[in-house]
Amino acid sequence: MIRILANDGIADNGKQLLEEAGFSVDTTKIPQDELMTRLNDYDAIIVRSATEVRKELIDATPNLKAILRGGVGIDNIDHEYAESKGIPTYNTPAASSQAVAELVFAHFFALSRFLHRSNRELTRPDGNFNKLKKAYSEGQQLRGRTLVVVGFGRIGIAIGRIALGLGMKVVPVDPYKEKETVKLDFADGRSIDFNFDMVSLDEAISQADYITINVPGGDLMGAEEIARMKDGVIIANTSRGGVINEDALLEALNSGKVAGAALDVFVDEPNPRRDLLEHPRVSVTPHIGAATAEAQDNIGVELFEKIRDHFGKQ
């Protein structure tokens, strides 16, 4: 029997599908420092963000036949090295796109109408209703605003659909494609296709009212890029910590150049810097972009399909 270690867990539906197909699934959490001696008891490992699968672990587990990531990014896996050893890495890029897209807009609405602050301040014993009503009376609507989507893959397209439905202008940035068609479906069965040409990052950020970043990693935005943005821009990062330079972002928040930042990811997870977490212009969540029941079920199904197809070919 093929043994699967779901070290960071797996949705119940995914576990059930795997077991019904004849796989053994162990959801017992093995600490990172014990994996070197215990992972070789398994044929495949499923991870999320918590577990790292690096070169040393791969070398220590010659029985390993597949590595799976329940999510999009695979930066916690030395996937190129694994591939060189004949061990493929799979992720689940389609499963959580809608969940991440909706979180982006939850943050955008919160920052645009000061929900992240009024929810805290009005409930305090000393919360002054009339004072807060005046302080937070100058919010802005998203309709008619320009949204720059950096990274126009599955998540970026899902974000684009929501933005189009809200009446925003969508400006996509993606160096790996030239054009993209986004289909907007309606409940009555009608649909509209929107055709987009990609725009360079430099050209896009100068016209953005809102920016959302959906890339697998890298150092994408620093002080120079922020300087080219409009005053009062609102930025969301739900991709990877460090894509926006945190020092440059903090300086721009303090000056008002950036009116708001929505951060679901940080450089020093799980201990993000306090000056960002506590900044009044920042809306934060603890890396929960894909953390909806629907997304987790989708991930479970996609993981099952990847494992079934992989071992079906052995």
Side-chain angles (χ1 to χ4, degrees), residues 9-294:
I10 184 173
D12 290 341
N13 67 330
K15 184 173 186 290
Q16 181 179 344
L17 286 168
L18 285 166
E19 291 176 339
E20 288 176 351
F23 296 93
S24 171
V25 183
D26 187 352
T27 57
T28 303
K29 175 70 174 182
I30 298 178
Q32 185 75 48
D33 59 0
E34 296 180 21
L35 283 172
M36 293 280 285
T37 58
R38 298 175 61 183
L39 183 56
N40 208 42
D41 294 335
Y42 301 89
D43 299 283
I45 183 171
I46 299 171
V47 302
R48 295 292 305 274
S49 299
T51 300
E52 295 188 345
V53 185
R54 300 301 184 194
K55 177 180 181 295
E56 295 77 12
L57 180 58
I58 294 167
D59 286 339
T61 53
N63 191 51
L64 195 64
K65 301 176 181 68
I67 304 167
L68 298 102
R69 165 73 158 86
V72 179
I74 53 175
D75 51 307
N76 57 324
I77 302 168
D78 286 342
H79 56 96
E80 292 182 354
Y81 182 74
E83 191 76 30
S84 75
K85 304 288 283 188
I87 306 170
T89 297
Y90 302 98
N91 62 352
T92 59
S96 56
S97 300
Q98 185 64 26
V100 177
E102 291 186 12
L103 181 67
V104 168
F105 279 93
H107 280 295
F108 280 162
F109 284 123
L111 289 164
S112 300
R113 299 301 297 272
F114 310 107
L115 305 184
H116 65 300
R117 295 176 63 179
S118 59
N119 269 317
R120 294 196 302 263
E121 296 172 12
L122 186 57
T123 56
R124 292 174 181 168
D126 60 346
N128 186 312
F129 188 97
N130 289 328
K131 181 179 178 180
L132 293 173
K133 180 179 179 180
K134 182 177 181 180
Y136 299 141
S137 64
E138 296 185 3
Q140 67 182 33
Q141 297 176 190
L142 276 68
R143 184 175 182 83
R145 305 280 178 172
T146 296
L147 171 66
V148 169
V149 183
V150 182
F152 212 56
R154 289 179 176 88
I155 292 173
I157 289 171
I159 291 169
R161 287 194 187 98
I162 296 174
L164 291 168
L166 289 169
M168 302 183 80
K169 177 184 177 183
V170 176
V171 179
V173 176
D174 196 308
Y176 300 104
K177 57 178 70 174
E178 295 181 357
K179 299 177 181 294
E180 186 62 77
T181 299
V182 176
K183 182 181 291 292
L184 191 60
D185 295 314
F186 298 92
D188 62 3
R190 291 181 298 166
S191 65
I192 301 175
D193 287 347
F194 293 84
N195 298 312
F196 291 98
D197 294 321
M198 298 301 117
V199 177
S200 71
L201 180 63
D202 285 346
E203 180 183 350
I205 59 176
S206 64
Q207 56 185 296
D209 299 303
Y210 293 80
I211 298 173
T212 173
I213 303 172
N214 320 280
V215 297
D219 183 5
L220 189 67
M221 289 189 181
E224 292 183 7
E225 288 76 19
I226 292 173
R228 292 198 291 272
M229 296 176 188
K230 284 184 180 180
D231 292 345
V233 68
I234 293 177
I235 306 173
N237 182 18
T238 55
S239 56
R240 285 292 180 268
V243 169
I244 305 175
N245 181 284
E246 290 185 346
D247 289 330
L249 177 61
L250 187 63
E251 182 177 345
L253 288 164
N254 287 334
S255 70
K257 175 72 176 182
V258 173
L263 302 176
D264 186 51
V265 290
F266 305 86
V267 171
D268 293 322
E269 294 182 22
N271 299 298
R273 52 194 291 179
R274 302 304 306 180
D275 50 3
L276 272 181
L277 292 180
E278 298 171 1
H279 198 284
R281 297 182 188 270
V282 174
S283 176
V284 295
T285 43
H287 204 151
I288 58 169
T292 65
E294 295 88 346

